[in-house]
Amino acid sequence: MPHASLKLIPGVDVNRTPTLNEAAISSGDLIRFVPDRQGVGLVQKLGGWSTYAGPFSSYIRCLWAWEDTNSKSYLAVGAEASLSYILNGNVFSITPRTLTNNVAVSVSTVSGSSDVTITDTGSSITQWDNVYIQTPIAVGGLVLFGIYPTTNPTLSANTYHITAVDALGAPALATSTVTNGGAVASFSTVNTSAVVTVTLPNNGYSVGSTFPIVVSTTVGGITLYGNYTVQSIDPLNPDNFTIIAANTASSTVTNSPMNGGLARYVYYIGVGPLPNGTGYGIGGYGRGGYGTGDVTVQNGNTISTSDWTLDNWGEILISCPLNGPIYEWSPAAGYSVSAVINTAPIVNAGIVVAMPQRQIIAWGSTETGIQDPLLIRWCDVDDFTSWTATVTNQAGSYRIPKGSKIIQGIQAAQQTLIWTDLGLWSMQYVGLPFVYQFNEIGTGCGLIGRKAAASMSGVVYWMGQSQFYTLAGGGPQPIPCPVWDVIFQDLDSTNLDKIRIAVNSRFGEVAWYYPTKGNGGEINAYVKYNVVLQQWDYGSLARTAWINESVLGPPIGAGTDKYIYQHETSTNAATNGVDDVPMLSNFQTGYFQIAEAELKMFVDQVWPDMKWGYFGGTANGATVYQTPTAQVQLTFYATDYPGQTPIAYGPFNLTQSTTFVSPRFRGRLVSIKISSSDVNSFWRIGNMRYRTQPDGKF
């Protein structure tokens, strides 16, 4: 009886029909391909993973690894309800904390001084905190608006101090002394007119200036929110100026105050070292916490967010919740929570630290407190506290002129790459006077989600709205994808920002974890690209965050079970914090044609050819690949026509000692499936052979 061999073509292809996909793989899960010297790939079981930490109280959306100056390695964990770091297996929360108060305006100034006293009864603000004044307050010749560091030398629970500053950050001096006064901006409308008169004493605006309204206010049937251009200044009363609303007023209203006349203070709480004057023995017996004396410190409320971007500035962790401010946390600073960078933009869609000049790049940022989805801002070189551009620094901003929003930015080789929903931009450092040069290097290749692009070995890969791309020498190039149907026809288009790219440089793989339709909006599948073989596969593993090889070792990912797992550490899976769970790896081929024309063929023996286990076992004194207990199931599906329901033969259990199996099937077409579900095993498929003979006409 004649013999034939079966060498599988690497990669999974679902675009082809099963018959057209002869000698190739049509489906698979938890497998990978490794190159051989003939340039083809060998299919094997995917590397396993083990529990790193968890569980967390919410989905983990971002991971970042870094090392401090004492050679301690940290893993930052950005979850929807927390920001934490892991050190030596222990989890520590450094979640930013805020507090929002709407209170009657009570502000005091001293003529000729920049020191301002704010009364907010019971706020317990200390010198470690910052206050974002969202309602412009006119008082003592000053207009207070924006974020200010707080000082609190009296440690009062009801009052604190800030320093008034001008647009460049220099101290601004009050022109009069006011005690417990001040007023927010007010608005006047005229029925059927879109012109709104704003009253704000000592506003300093001129025609063409931008007046931001951060606290949404409805007056005369008009809802005011956003940036407005000053249209005119009342020459008789410069405290009044006009803006144009998006619609006409439905009634006439005079001097309706913003936020109902209340000041809105958003506090960013910094839980730092103990304030001066506190400690054991301070205050009456039994008053205050042990070791803290008689002072009540504001703890605020931990923030929540749907996503984070994380990076490190040396040993300092830089974090940005989606559409929030930028925070810092240093292992050496003594803060138990991340502290807001009070000079940085207050609203940002994301950040990245650009190297080697070391600048924080923020996108979807703001100049006024109102977010601009196409605005990029950056700090001075090597100084993340300096964000206002001057002739003596390299801080600055640029607005991308195309698209509707910036989706993601990454640090790539010698440039920062910025994706919008429409295209790709290069941001290259050129030094003074322009600091950065911006070039559109790709159109029609926008990014599908916030975490869908990454770089590996100097090459950039990303997922667009309908195909995958790589950045080659000539610009963005589409990557042919033979599993296109599985991804783009089943993608949950309402949760695209949950897509996560996962680079595994150990095996030259780039994966995208994504949510499918009907799965409740959460990630439940992946597609993987082997950049060496240029082959694809897909499966059902879910990861909500990922980092490549780092100071912590092999890649680390977060599961939908809210645990963190380290990959390539085991032959087994792990779930819900339980290690050594069987990994259900499998693949199925397309149909092989084993008979020509009207003949049928009979297959009575198949000789498996596999590697069993990792290298390092011994047998008969020789070093071999072996896992003595490993088992693989081999199933045959035979049929005569592509659309006919096949007949299954098997599964046949294969072990290292199996010489052959006898499936004894007849037909013209056959597909094979290989699967495993045991623990502590590994397998790689080689050149299987089978014995056939003609079995009559069809």
Side-chain angles (χ1 to χ4, degrees), residues 277 279-295:
Y280 181 74
I282 303 297
Y285 180 80
R287 299 182 62 187
Y290 179 81
T292 62
D294 195 31
V295 177

Side-chain angles (χ1 to χ4, degrees), residues 17-367:
T17 63
T19 305
L20 185 61
N21 202 35
E22 185 176 6
I25 298 173
S26 292
S27 66
D29 194 9
L30 302 177
I31 59 172
R32 68 162 36 113
F33 303 95
V34 294
D36 68 5
R37 60 186 179 184
Q38 276 74 41
V40 298
L42 304 175
V43 59
Q44 67 180 40
K45 179 181 174 181
L46 187 69
W49 55 92
S50 53
T51 305
Y52 188 86
F56 286 76
S57 62
S58 59
Y59 288 118
I60 298 162
R61 299 300 182 189
C62 192
L63 297 171
W64 188 264
W66 85 103
E67 191 172 79
D68 69 9
T69 54
N70 293 316
S71 299
K72 294 180 180 178
S73 297
Y74 300 79
L75 178 66
V77 183
E80 291 182 345
S82 64
L83 176 65
S84 310
Y85 71 87
I86 300 173
L87 176 64
N88 298 326
N90 299 309
V91 180
F92 303 89
S93 175
I94 51 172
T95 311
R97 299 179 182 180
T98 64
L99 177 70
T100 300
N101 287 346
N102 293 284
V103 299
V105 179
S106 181
V107 181
S108 302
T109 60
V110 176
S111 180
S113 172
S114 62
D115 183 70
V116 176
T117 303
I118 295 178
T119 299
D120 183 358
T121 302
S123 58
S124 299
I125 300 303
T126 73
Q127 66 263 42
W128 309 113
D129 305 327
N130 291 269
V131 58
Y132 178 21
I133 303 176
Q134 293 189 329
T135 48
I137 297 174
V139 59
L142 302 171
V143 174
L144 305 176
F145 176 73
I147 189 166
Y148 300 85
T150 61
T151 59
N152 204 340
T154 60
L155 293 175
S156 167
N158 302 323
T159 63
Y160 58 89
H161 298 264
I162 64 171
T163 299
V165 295
D166 60 20
L168 296 178
L173 306 180
T175 59
S176 63
T177 298
V178 175
T179 301
N180 297 329
V184 300
S186 62
F187 307 102
S188 300
T189 61
V190 176
N191 189 27
T192 71
S193 174
V195 177
V196 178
T197 299
V198 183
T199 299
L200 183 64
N202 306 299
N203 58 76
Y205 288 125
S206 59
V207 174
S209 297
T210 298
F211 174 60
I213 301 177
V214 176
V215 178
S216 179
T217 300
T218 299
V219 54
I222 296 173
T223 298
L224 298 171
Y225 177 82
N227 290 322
Y228 294 87
T229 301
V230 175
Q231 302 295 316
S232 65
I233 306 290
D234 188 340
L236 299 179
N237 185 0
D239 291 347
N240 297 334
F241 58 91
T242 62
I243 59 176
I244 303 296
N247 60 289
T248 59
S250 59
S251 63
T252 298
V253 176
T254 301
N255 292 331
S256 177
M258 179 185 294
N259 197 36
L262 300 178
R264 176 170 294 178
Y265 303 130
V266 177
Y267 298 106
Y268 295 95
I269 307 302
V271 183
L274 290 176
N276 293 330
T278 66
Y280 181 74
I282 303 297
Y285 180 80
R287 299 182 62 187
Y290 179 81
T292 62
D294 195 31
V295 177
T296 300
V297 178
Q298 178 60 250
N299 287 320
N301 305 304
T302 56
I303 69 168
S304 60
T305 180
S306 61
D307 204 356
W308 294 83
T309 45
L310 305 173
D311 211 324
N312 66 287
W313 183 288
E315 72 170 5
I316 299 173
L317 175 68
I318 305 295
S319 61
C320 179
L322 178 60
N323 301 328
I326 304 172
Y327 296 89
E328 59 162 315
W329 179 82
S330 171
Y335 281 78
S336 59
V337 300
S338 297
V340 70
I341 302 175
N342 52 52
T343 52
I346 199 67
V347 182
N348 307 274
I351 56 98
V352 67
V353 176
M355 300 299 290
Q357 69 276 11
R358 199 160 68 160
Q359 292 172 284
I360 297 178
I361 310 295
W363 63 86
S365 193
T366 182
E367 299 275 6

Side-chain angles (χ1 to χ4, degrees), residues 313 318 326 341 343-345 348 351-354 357-362 365 376-390 393-397 427 429 435-436:
W313 183 288
I318 305 295
I326 304 172
I341 302 175
T343 52
N348 307 274
I351 56 98
V352 67
V353 176
Q357 69 276 11
R358 199 160 68 160
Q359 292 172 284
I360 297 178
I361 310 295
S365 193
I376 299 173
R377 290 189 63 186
W378 58 88
C379 70
D380 192 11
V381 170
D382 215 26
D383 183 2
F384 62 67
T385 66
S386 177
W387 288 81
T388 302
T390 68
N393 70 21
Q394 296 190 46
S397 64
M427 180 178 175
Y429 178 74
V435 186
Y436 282 97

